[in-house]
Amino acid sequence: MDSINIDNKEFEERADYIEISDLITWTVDTPFYQNIQKKIIERGAKLIVGPRGTGKTHQFRHAYFSCLNDNSRPLPLYISFGKYYHLEPLLFKSANALTVFHTWILAKICLEIITVSGRLSCNLDDTLRSKNIEITDIDDYIENAERNLINFKNDELISKLSIQFVTNLIEELLIKSNRKRCILLLDDAALTLTPDYMIEFFDVFRSLKTQNISPKASVYPGTTQYGPRFHIGQDAEEVLAWLNVEDDNYSFFMSEILNKRLANVEINNEIVELFKYASFGIPRAFITLLRSYIQATGKTTQQNFNKVIENQKILLEKEYLSLALKLPQYKSIIRTGYEFYEKIINEIEEANKNNPLEKKVHLGILQDDSIIKSARMIKFLIEAGLLYQIQSISDGPDRNFDRYIPHYLFLINAKVFTHTKGFNTRAMLDSITRKNDKRPIRKQLNTLLDRSKINNLKLDLPPCNNCGSERLSEDQKFCHQCGTPLVGQSTFETTLKTKIKDLPLPKWQIEAILKDTRLKTIEDIYSSQNLAKDLKNAKGIGKVRTTNIDKIVKDLVQEFLT
């Protein structure tokens, strides 16, 4: 284990940093993966759904490169919208923010059309010239929109770019490339920081769908808001990219990741099996756990394993609670949600205590339409990957239960699967892989949370600046007491004040940045004129990436914000 270099490319967690040759070589070719690839490449609009780290970008990039140079396959266009949050302040500064955002989407798609046309030696200059559009105009627009510096020349592009122009440009590229149809791969499309933009995005998504153009978008489960004009099933099919930890082929799927990518890793097989389940269907987490275990310095296997599980639990907690930093209006709901989640873990721990022959990890919550905010609370837990929703069940008239599986890492940490003295990995695995009891734990929400907590599931909205009255709703434009316009606050600008110590980053990275640099907040990182220089004294930072140190830290922050 000591001979393994954890800085090797095999331990890279993000698909957008992996060389395409490696990405294709490391692809796990199982029926689960093949089904998602089939859905991405086939006709029709699709929503690829999964929490962070489930492999949505990997799926899109693999489909893109497998189709690009194969004339028998559809023409692929890949666009990431991960920087949408840079445009969020415009919602509070500009009357035409939605128009700017709408054009930003089209501009990014146009730029990809032009890029792919160059790769396939298809000239689109005449069409662009007919609209008096230069590539530099598109580049400038994207850059200025992300800097909130739209100028008169950029306004001209707004009048030139339209849905019709973009679809016509794609149709022309199809003809010139001798392709029958196009798949439009729209990555990072869960614009959770900006509900207004998210609704606009899916209006554009729906409008781009034609007989020959099939848009696909990667989104998070739970909280993605599609708007009143977008209907799941009718406008797009959902495709779950998150494999159930209790699927019959789960262990095989995770083994293939290990065999394809980390064949040289020498760790006890039973420890590897435990890490498979502790990753809860998220390949990125599996790689993180393996790397952390290799780095562990404890004297015994038990110490190293427990430390890795505990540290990953803390990181998952921080990732979930960081939603309150990015979505302050939901702060109370998110924090109460974690209390609710801890109660779920406790209930499952109690149900399995002194019960080594059964496994009870499914929890059913009685449906109650009167508690609307609780649905939002649970959706945040699903988005963060802490709860996996399975099919609901009925227990008689008006007694329908929504069922969930909590993250196995939290159950492992709570010793739910430990029924013997000492550190017995074989016994733990026997307990984990046992079929779940057919009688799930059934609870009402008010038995997991105090009634006062349920009643306090409210939005944390800033009061009227004029009279101090509380807002009645998130979309309220004028104070209901004094009639004064209610001024909003940019979530992005507020988030820039977030301290680095509060970011859901590995502890060693935070310690290195805080100890060896003057950087204290996200804003310090963004405003630094020479980030590489500012970070050069931070011990260890940059070793796990092959790109330069400036890009590494900015990308870490970008992932936090998206």
Side-chain angles (χ1 to χ4, degrees):
M1 197 161 71
D2 294 337
S3 63
I4 298 172
N5 182 0
I6 54 91
D7 297 331
N8 285 349
K9 60 183 181 180
E10 288 82 4
F11 285 95
E12 176 54 65
E13 297 167 7
R14 293 188 53 168
D16 36 5
Y17 295 138
I18 298 173
E19 293 291 333
I20 185 56
S21 58
D22 291 328
L23 185 138
I24 291 173
T25 300
W26 296 341
T27 292
V28 174
D29 194 21
T30 64
F32 175 74
Y33 192 93
Q34 290 169 0
N35 178 64
I36 299 170
Q37 283 292 296
K38 176 176 174 288
K39 294 292 184 180
I40 291 173
I41 294 173
E42 73 183 14
R43 290 185 183 273
K46 313 290 180 186
L47 301 172
I48 311 303
V49 185
R52 297 172 190 270
T54 46
K56 300 185 296 296
T57 296
H58 186 117
Q59 291 273 4
F60 272 1
R61 290 192 72 208
H62 188 274
Y64 174 82
F65 286 106
S66 67
C67 292
L68 187 61
N69 297 313
D70 186 344
N71 286 334
S72 67
R73 292 191 158 205
L75 173 76
L77 300 172
Y78 174 85
I79 307 98
S80 171
F81 295 95
K83 287 191 174 181
Y84 74 92
Y85 57 86
H86 284 276
L87 282 73
E88 188 260 0
L90 289 172
L91 289 167
F92 306 93
K93 299 176 181 178
S94 175
N96 69 335
L98 288 178
T99 302
V100 172
F101 174 74
H102 179 101
T103 306
W104 178 76
I105 297 172
L106 300 181
K108 287 182 72 68
I109 295 173
C110 278
L111 194 60
E112 171 66 2
I113 294 170
I114 294 166
T115 300
V116 170
S117 70
R119 288 178 176 175
L120 300 179
S121 301
C122 301
N123 195 319
L124 301 176
D125 289 349
D126 290 343
T127 304
L128 293 170
R129 202 174 294 118
S130 69
K131 276 280 191 175
N132 196 24
I133 296 175
E134 300 287 341
I135 296 177
T136 53
D137 296 336
I138 298 173
D139 276 326
D140 288 345
Y141 182 90
I142 293 170
E143 181 180 350
N144 286 343
E146 292 173 1
R147 296 171 61 199
N148 299 175
L149 297 174
I150 294 297
N151 56 37
F152 177 75
K153 188 175 181 182
N154 298 143
D155 283 338
E156 290 183 358
L157 192 66
I158 291 176
S159 65
K160 295 174 183 177
L161 286 187
S162 65
I163 297 285
Q164 189 63 56
F165 176 77
V166 171
T167 55
N168 288 346
L169 200 61
I170 293 174
E171 292 285 357
E172 182 180 349
L173 182 54
L174 285 173
I175 293 170
K176 291 190 173 183
S177 63
N178 196 29
R179 304 287 181 107
K180 293 180 179 180
R181 58 188 181 88
C182 167
I183 52 171
L184 196 53
L185 309 176
L186 309 177
D187 205 4
D188 298 313
L191 316 185
T192 49
L193 281 183
T194 54
D196 291 337
Y197 283 165
M198 193 156 22
I199 292 169
E200 179 68 21
F201 180 91
F202 284 103
D203 277 347
V204 174
F205 177 94
R206 182 170 50 86
S207 300
L208 287 168
K209 180 182 176 182
T210 70
Q211 184 177 355
N212 295 327
I213 302 172
S214 300
K216 325 282 178 170
S218 68
V219 298
Y220 297 142
T223 60
T224 302
Q225 299 177 32
Y226 300 102
R229 296 176 292 275
F230 192 92
H231 304 285
I232 303 296
Q234 179 179 326
D235 291 313
E237 175 190 355
E238 282 190 314
V239 180
L240 189 61
W242 186 10
L243 183 61
N244 187 341
V245 70
E246 296 180 356
D247 187 280
D248 290 340
N249 294 314
Y250 180 82
S251 179
F252 174 73
F253 175 79
M254 302 303 282
S255 289
E256 284 297 283
I257 293 174
L258 189 67
N259 295 336
K260 290 266 188 176
R261 188 164 170 177
L262 299 168
N264 294 326
V265 172
E266 295 181 6
I267 302 176
N268 177 280
N269 288 337
E270 290 177 357
I271 294 293
V272 171
E273 283 295 315
L274 288 171
F275 283 150
K276 288 179 186 179
Y277 292 100
S279 64
F280 204 52
I282 299 178
R284 185 187 300 179
F286 184 44
I287 294 168
T288 299
L289 289 167
L290 291 172
R291 182 201 289 116
S292 299
Y293 186 78
I294 290 168
Q295 290 178 292
T297 57
K299 294 181 179 180
T300 67
T301 299
Q302 181 177 359
Q303 286 178 351
N304 288 335
F305 178 81
N306 289 342
K307 187 65 174 177
V308 168
I309 294 295
E310 177 65 23
N311 286 344
Q312 185 70 2
K313 174 179 175 285
I314 293 170
L315 185 61
L316 289 170
E317 288 172 354
K318 289 184 71 173
E319 284 182 350
Y320 170 76
L321 293 172
S322 72
L323 291 172
L325 299 173
K326 296 179 280 187
L327 299 167
Q329 68 271 37
Y330 294 109
K331 180 169 63 177
S332 295
I333 293 174
I334 290 166
R335 289 180 176 175
T336 302
Y338 198 73
E339 293 180 38
F340 169 73
Y341 187 69
E342 289 181 314
K343 291 287 182 65
I344 289 176
I345 300 299
N346 290 338
E347 287 289 338
I348 292 177
E349 182 183 1
E350 284 298 316
N352 288 273
K353 189 176 290 185
N354 302 320
N355 191 14
L357 300 180
E358 288 186 327
K359 170 186 167 187
K360 299 176 80 73
V361 298
H362 292 182
L363 185 130
I365 300 174
L366 185 67
Q367 293 177 358
D368 187 350
D369 294 336
S370 67
I371 311 174
I372 299 173
K373 295 290 192 306
S374 68
R376 169 67 70 170
M377 176 184 73
I378 292 172
K379 285 180 178 179
F380 279 123
L381 291 166
I382 295 172
E383 177 182 315
L386 298 185
L387 285 180
Y388 188 101
Q389 187 167 12
I390 55 179
Q391 188 175 3
S392 59
I393 58 171
S394 176
D395 192 23
D398 299 321
R399 284 184 59 80
N400 296 314
F401 289 82
D402 292 322
R403 287 193 303 160
Y404 305 94
I405 305 173
H407 200 304
Y408 268 38
L409 183 137
F410 287 80
L411 300 181
I412 291 171
N413 187 71
K415 311 299 182 187
V416 167
F417 304 115
T418 301
H419 300 290
T420 61
K421 292 183 178 180
F423 185 60
N424 189 330
T425 55
R426 183 66 262 162
M428 289 171 64
L429 283 170
D430 288 343
S431 179
I432 288 173
T433 56
R434 186 174 289 120
K435 289 289 184 182
N436 199 70
D437 188 78
K438 293 182 179 180
R439 299 159 295 172
I441 304 166
R442 292 173 170 84
K443 292 290 177 180
Q444 295 185 41
L445 187 66
N446 58 17
T447 63
L448 294 169
L449 282 178
D450 295 337
R451 176 57 64 178
S452 61
K453 292 279 188 183
I454 296 172
N455 293 338
N456 201 39
L457 287 171
K458 59 180 180 61
L459 294 175
D460 299 293
L461 301 173
C464 172
N465 292 334
N466 183 50
C467 71
S469 297
E470 289 189 10
R471 302 189 188 202
L472 300 178
S473 66
E474 190 175 8
D475 56 0
Q476 186 179 349
K477 303 299 182 184
F478 297 91
C479 177
H480 60 286
Q481 290 291 347
C482 67
T484 302
L486 295 172
V487 179
Q489 187 176 22
S490 166
T491 302
F492 176 57
E493 292 178 341
T494 302
T495 305
L496 289 179
K497 307 296 183 185
T498 301
K499 294 181 179 179
I500 291 171
K501 70 179 181 64
D502 294 325
L503 293 178
L505 302 177
K507 184 179 178 181
W508 70 270
Q509 288 180 339
I510 291 176
E511 289 177 348
I513 293 172
L514 295 181
K515 180 181 178 182
D516 300 325
T517 79
R518 296 180 180 180
L519 303 172
K520 304 301 177 187
T521 67
I522 291 177
E523 191 169 24
D524 291 341
I525 291 174
Y526 268 96
S527 61
S528 173
Q529 293 184 339
N530 191 339
L531 186 60
K533 181 179 178 181
D534 291 339
L535 284 165
K536 69 179 182 180
N537 294 322
K539 183 179 179 182
I541 294 293
K543 291 185 178 180
V544 298
R545 297 279 192 260
T546 56
T547 52
N548 64 72
I549 197 166
D550 184 313
K551 181 170 169 39
I552 294 164
V553 177
K554 284 187 176 179
D555 283 339
L556 286 169
V557 172
Q558 179 180 322
E559 183 169 0
F560 166 67
L561 288 168
T562 52

